[in-house]
Amino acid sequence: MNPIVPATLALSADGVPYSAAFDDVYHSSDGGLGQARHVFMAGNDLPHAWAGRSYFTIVETGFGQGLNFLATWQAWRADPQRCERLHFVSLEQFPFRRDDLAVLHARYPELAELSAALRAAWPALTPGLHRIWLDDGRVTLTLALGDARALLSQLDARADAIYLDGFSPAKNPELWQLPIYKALWRLSHAGTTLATYTVAGEVRRGLTEAGFAVRKAEGFGGKRQMLRGGVARAPRRTTPHAGKRSALVVGAGLAGCAVAERLAARGWQVTLLEAESDLAQRSSGNHAGLMHPYYSRDDNLLSRLTRAGCALALRHFAALTAAGLPLRYAVEGILQLAKHDAQQQLMAELAEQGGWPDLAFLPPEAASARAGTALPRGGWWFADGATVSPPSLCRANLLRHPRHITLRTGTEVAALRHETDHWLALDISGRPLARAGIAVLANATAAARLPQAAGLPLHDAARVATVLAQSELAVPRIAIAGDGYVTGALDGARVIGAASLTDTLAQAETANLDALRTLVPGLPPPQPLSSRTCLRPTAPDRLPLIGALPLAEQSAACHQLRQIARHPGLYAALAFGSRGLTWATLAGELLASHLDGEPAPLEQPLLDAVDPARFLLRALRSAR
């Protein structure tokens, strides 16, 4: 994906925000808020259209300075009949920087509270989808940064209203073409409405050909007319989960607790079943872990997924903390130390390309100064890198919506059985444990013991994490990852790791101490407090398994993931490997969004990349 080029702040002669690249203004000279309210909101019969709904989704082409979004959010707040949850999906190829937005938003003091909240949550300007929760999670902005022609075809959303905005057809013809209209129609349903400020003939004809029915209406300000309309013929779409809004989640580690929290946030009743005596007893039980994204020259799937996962997790951590929940974490930065000179050169080159605003390279001298001790090489500095307590995250997730989540420990699920409209969990004796409309397997490789997941290519990598007293390790002053890792300090301790458990725990502990001395030469040997084994469940491609589980028997004619038959209402959140902190929140949000028919937090190629059926599809293709 191409790097994002931010918009340049400029004003026209009459003071309207202006783009020199398109030689056009961002909104009518008669007023941006007035245009937002008359053309896009009233043109889609808002706020009336969302009245009494559980959720409502708007898709917009052209976020600009965000006036359409802010006006919609303001109206939603003021409406006593508003929908419970508002989703706003907006595409933008040239987003403004946060500081430029502040200048533009200062012209609208009536929106000061909302615009400040938007800017506070403004993401790093990197390609792809950025999910932002506002108003205690009741309003969700999903910013799709990049070329609308590519991103629209990759959105998984069900639009109730469409704001067809952007620079004029004469100035930006690429946004006003039949493929764009067809992609918008694909996101529609029978009741979807559409509005735009232009009545250009080619726009009317293109929308009609794509499947919309539009008509002229009274325009705003100096424009005599605008277009509004709806769907002439509805596309075939899969429907959201329409059964019981109850779920049983198997496994109370990072994955299971995150899924439970995201479902409970939407009002689902969740029963969480854990075989151990308490939550977070296995891999999620480490004292602390590191969370930072991964980068690659080609911006591969792993890079994009870790970037999305870290950004969403940090927003979630902030929300948990704001709610007063006992999450223990520190965003103090992480240095990913180069393992050899060639990697150091590659790291410097990628950072210097400038496509990743949150990626910086520290040469050896600067890295050593930041660490407070001499380091052998430099590396990437992740200012948003976090040291997190996994058990505290699990507990905070369950405490956020306590009326909606029931945790049952010491409860091992030996079998699952589907019965008409629900799933039934059974113990080793065949006795019922719990029943619910859907089931989610989040119990690592133990999931493969169940027949429904037996075909998943899961395996464990046994690693050892060693805890050191903070007083034993005054330097490095920062968290470092490389050949081994050392976390920042939490609750008076730091963690190093994670050596493979090839023989004894004592040998792995010694290997961790050796790796620490390689990362930070010259350290006096610290005395460990404890070490523990953690099994990292992984898939062959190192990507997680998130989504609906496939049936074992499939038609040989299947050649796309959407053709794979699935177990009704059975899902997985598995194979997080060493990235449980990175992917847990993302997995929960992805599954909950899918079940409620809300926009997905990832674009389609990334959804396909984590689909549990991907290995089965490859096998079917190979067998032909």
Side-chain angles (χ1 to χ4, degrees):
M1 301 177 77
N2 294 325
I4 295 299
V5 178
T8 300
L9 176 60
L11 301 177
S12 67
D14 52 358
V16 178
Y18 168 80
S19 169
F22 292 98
D23 186 27
D24 200 5
V25 292
Y26 278 86
H27 58 72
S28 167
S29 59
D30 294 296
L33 271 181
Q35 177 176 288
R37 291 164 178 154
H38 178 89
V39 174
F40 298 106
M41 293 190 62
N44 281 286
D45 196 25
L46 292 172
H48 174 74
W50 64 40
R53 300 274 295 271
S54 57
Y55 67 90
F56 192 88
T57 300
I58 297 166
V59 173
E60 175 188 54
T61 57
F63 186 79
Q65 60 185 315
L67 284 187
N68 291 341
F69 168 68
L70 291 170
T72 303
W73 182 12
Q74 183 187 52
W76 177 88
R77 266 194 165 189
D79 182 12
Q81 302 301 317
R82 61 179 176 257
C83 52
E84 295 174 16
R85 299 170 65 86
L86 176 65
H87 276 271
F88 198 102
V89 182
S90 187
L91 297 102
E92 180 56 64
Q93 187 169 8
F94 303 103
F96 283 105
R97 296 179 178 89
R98 181 186 282 109
D99 291 346
D100 290 338
L101 283 176
V103 174
L104 294 167
H105 292 163
R107 301 149 65 93
Y108 302 96
E110 65 270 46
L111 298 175
E113 180 188 355
L114 302 186
S115 62
L118 171 62
R119 293 192 305 276
W122 198 241
L125 301 184
T126 54
L129 269 59
H130 300 261
R131 175 145 292 183
I132 299 169
W133 293 306
L134 300 160
D135 238 323
D136 294 326
R138 297 174 299 168
V139 174
T140 302
L141 171 62
T142 303
L143 275 175
L145 300 185
D147 189 336
R149 292 169 298 180
L151 284 172
L152 265 177
S153 64
Q154 298 175 8
L155 289 181
D156 181 0
R158 186 176 184 270
D160 298 302
I162 296 171
Y163 292 3
L164 189 52
D165 201 358
F167 297 112
S168 72
K171 302 291 187 178
N172 185 21
E174 291 181 345
L175 192 62
W176 304 86
Q177 294 183 358
L178 185 60
I180 295 286
Y181 308 144
K182 285 185 174 180
L184 288 168
W185 175 82
R186 180 186 63 82
L187 301 177
S188 303
H189 57 84
T192 301
T193 59
L194 175 146
T196 182
Y197 63 84
T198 182
V199 292
E202 64 269 26
V203 174
R204 299 198 311 272
R205 290 187 291 272
L207 288 170
T208 301
E209 183 176 348
F212 292 98
V214 295
R215 65 187 184 279
K216 294 179 181 179
E218 180 184 352
F220 172 74
K223 288 190 69 69
R224 188 168 60 89
Q225 295 176 316
M226 57 172 276
L227 289 181
R228 61 183 299 180
V231 174
R233 59 183 189 278
R236 293 181 180 177
R237 297 186 56 92
T238 56
T239 57
H241 173 78
K244 300 174 181 176
R245 288 172 59 80
S246 60
L248 61 88
V249 179
V250 184
L254 283 170
C257 292
V259 170
E261 190 279 332
R262 289 288 77 207
L263 286 170
R266 290 160 169 84
W268 286 65
Q269 290 296 325
V270 182
T271 301
L272 190 57
L273 305 177
E274 170 55 53
E276 300 290 341
S277 59
D278 199 358
L279 53 75
Q281 292 298 293
R282 298 185 182 179
S283 296
S284 301
N286 286 345
H287 177 80
L290 296 180
M291 187 187 77
H292 65 81
Y294 170 85
Y295 285 87
S296 62
R297 189 183 294 278
D298 59 351
D299 197 25
N300 59 26
L301 293 168
L302 179 61
S303 299
R304 294 160 64 188
L305 281 166
T306 59
R307 198 164 64 234
C310 286
L312 198 68
L314 286 173
R315 295 188 189 107
H316 182 57
F317 297 169
L320 291 174
T321 301
L325 295 170
L327 171 62
R328 300 194 302 281
Y329 78 111
V331 182
E332 297 174 339
I334 296 171
L335 176 69
Q336 185 178 346
L337 199 66
K339 299 177 183 179
H340 45 73
D341 292 344
Q343 187 183 47
Q344 179 173 262
Q345 181 62 31
L346 174 63
M347 286 177 157
E349 289 174 359
L350 285 180
E352 288 166 6
Q353 288 176 4
W356 316 112
D358 52 353
L359 180 63
F361 175 76
L362 297 183
E365 299 80 9
S368 297
R370 184 153 290 182
T373 186
L375 299 177
R377 296 183 185 86
W380 282 331
W381 173 248
F382 301 109
D384 285 340
T387 296
V388 188
S389 160
S392 77
L393 176 56
C394 292
R395 206 164 296 280
N397 272 330
L398 300 195
L399 289 173
R400 195 175 188 193
H401 311 283
R403 292 184 302 168
H404 291 276
I405 300 175
T406 300
L407 171 64
R408 293 176 56 188
T409 57
T411 306
E412 184 168 3
V413 176
L416 280 175
R417 189 168 70 218
H418 188 250
E419 297 184 344
T420 312
D421 62 348
H422 64 268
W423 282 91
L424 184 65
L426 307 167
D427 68 10
I428 192 73
S429 301
R431 291 188 295 264
L433 294 170
R435 69 182 71 225
I438 65 113
V440 181
L441 302 184
N443 54 336
T445 51
R449 300 178 197 143
L450 300 171
Q452 294 88 348
L456 296 178
L458 288 167
H459 68 275
D460 276 327
R463 300 282 183 160
V464 173
T466 298
V467 180
L468 306 174
Q470 182 179 353
S471 58
E472 287 275 309
L473 204 61
V475 292
R477 294 194 299 248
I478 57 174
I480 300 178
D483 271 331
Y485 69 82
V486 54
T487 71
L490 280 181
D491 300 329
R494 303 178 75 172
V495 177
I496 62 173
S500 297
L501 183 64
T502 55
D503 196 353
T504 67
L505 191 65
Q507 288 176 326
E509 184 178 276
T510 299
N512 280 339
L513 293 171
D514 291 341
L516 175 63
R517 285 189 287 270
T518 300
L519 283 176
V520 189
L523 281 178
Q527 182 64 39
L529 292 175
S530 63
S531 292
R532 72 188 302 270
T533 302
C534 50
L535 299 178
R536 295 178 173 177
T538 59
D541 57 7
R542 299 170 59 209
L543 299 180
L545 304 171
I546 309 169
L549 283 173
L551 293 167
E553 298 297 324
Q554 299 287 335
S555 166
C558 288
H559 62 278
Q560 293 180 337
L561 283 169
R562 63 181 176 82
Q563 296 172 317
I564 297 288
R566 314 284 176 141
H567 289 281
L570 181 61
Y571 300 86
L574 302 166
F576 289 4
S578 61
R579 295 187 169 90
L581 292 168
T582 299
W583 284 331
T585 303
L586 182 64
E589 181 71 1
L590 193 161
L591 291 176
S593 297
H594 169 77
L595 287 164
D596 266 11
E598 300 174 0
L602 295 172
E603 50 267 50
Q604 194 61 54
L606 298 185
L607 295 175
D608 293 345
V610 302
D611 193 318
R614 62 187 186 271
F615 298 103
L616 177 58
L617 180 63
R618 292 170 198 170
L620 291 172
R621 288 172 172 171
S622 299
R624 294 193 186 109

